Amino acid sequence: MIGLKSGTVKLVQHQEEWHENAENVISVLKQLLGDTALDIQHVGSTAICSIHAKPIIDIAVAVHDIKDILPYIEVLKQHNIFFHEGAVAGEVFFVMEDGDIRTHHIHIVKRNGTGWSNYISFRDYLNANPEKAMMYDEFKRKSAVRFADDRKRYTASKQEIIGQLLSEANM
């Protein structure tokens, strides 16, 4: 299963199809963005094998400068990848969706910036530390019940634990 109604929260068990789907989207992005994309990675909870996640694939695209992506807005739109202005501080944000069902979040971040580092460190730390992944999973599942119809509050509720895990990952 990939996709979730915009604004809602529903967590499902990890699914292997998420990795294959991410690889397919990464391949398309590489073709569309060429050398502007310095690196493209599957990130977020769907990239952490042992936890529940919203079935929305997160992809991080590293660029020299986030403004480098601006000339690609129209070509991405032609491939159903839509720009969302001001959605995430410090990055350029795109979504793939079918009506009100979101399937992918595409995060354009500076290669040597904090955003890129955080996406990669968080994913790698939780994949390498199953006990930390389970702690995060338990927290997420409780928050998902509390904020099932309010994705913004769900996301905000996770900031403290994400910060704690990132601090551990960067030690």
Side-chain angles (χ1 to χ4, degrees):
M1 169 184 168
I2 296 175
L4 189 61
K5 184 177 178 183
S6 185
T8 64
V9 178
K10 178 183 177 188
L11 303 181
V12 298
Q13 286 188 320
H14 186 270
Q15 298 177 22
E16 283 303 313
E17 75 176 285
W18 293 342
H19 296 292
E20 182 179 337
N21 182 283
E23 288 304 315
N24 291 337
V25 172
I26 287 169
S27 179
V28 168
L29 288 169
K30 284 179 180 177
Q31 290 176 346
L32 296 174
L33 301 176
D35 293 340
T36 298
L38 304 174
D39 196 357
I40 306 176
Q41 298 278 326
H42 178 199
V43 297
S45 292
T46 60
I48 301 166
C49 297
S50 59
I51 69 172
H52 291 77
K54 293 186 315 291
I56 299 173
I57 309 297
D58 282 285
I59 306 287
V61 179
V63 294
H64 284 295
D65 185 309
I66 59 173
K67 293 176 186 171
D68 294 346
I69 203 69
L70 299 179
Y72 294 91
I73 290 175
E74 278 305 312
V75 73
L76 290 168
K77 184 178 179 181
Q78 292 168 10
H79 289 84
N80 296 318
I81 302 170
F82 302 101
F83 173 68
H84 275 246
E85 192 167 354
V88 181
E91 61 183 61
V92 177
F93 184 68
F94 292 85
V95 299
M96 294 175 72
E97 54 196 1
D98 183 10
D100 67 347
I101 304 298
R102 287 237 174 129
T103 59
H104 299 78
H105 290 160
I106 316 279
H107 308 267
I108 312 300
V109 294
K110 189 173 179 180
R111 172 61 188 259
N112 294 320
T114 303
W116 177 259
S117 176
N118 285 348
Y119 284 128
I120 303 305
S121 295
F122 191 77
R123 177 199 64 197
D124 292 352
Y125 182 69
L126 291 186
N127 275 324
N129 295 280
E131 72 286 354
K132 297 295 183 175
M134 289 300 98
M135 180 182 80
Y136 182 57
D137 184 65
E138 183 178 333
F139 185 91
K140 283 176 49 137
R141 289 192 285 155
K142 288 178 182 175
S143 288
V145 170
R146 285 182 63 203
F147 304 115
D149 294 316
D150 191 342
R151 187 175 302 170
K152 287 182 182 183
R153 289 185 65 199
Y154 166 76
T155 300
S157 77
K158 299 185 304 173
Q159 293 314 300
E160 185 175 333
I161 192 168
I162 289 171
Q164 173 190 333
L165 291 166
L166 278 171
S167 291
E168 293 172 15
N170 293 323
M171 288 180 143

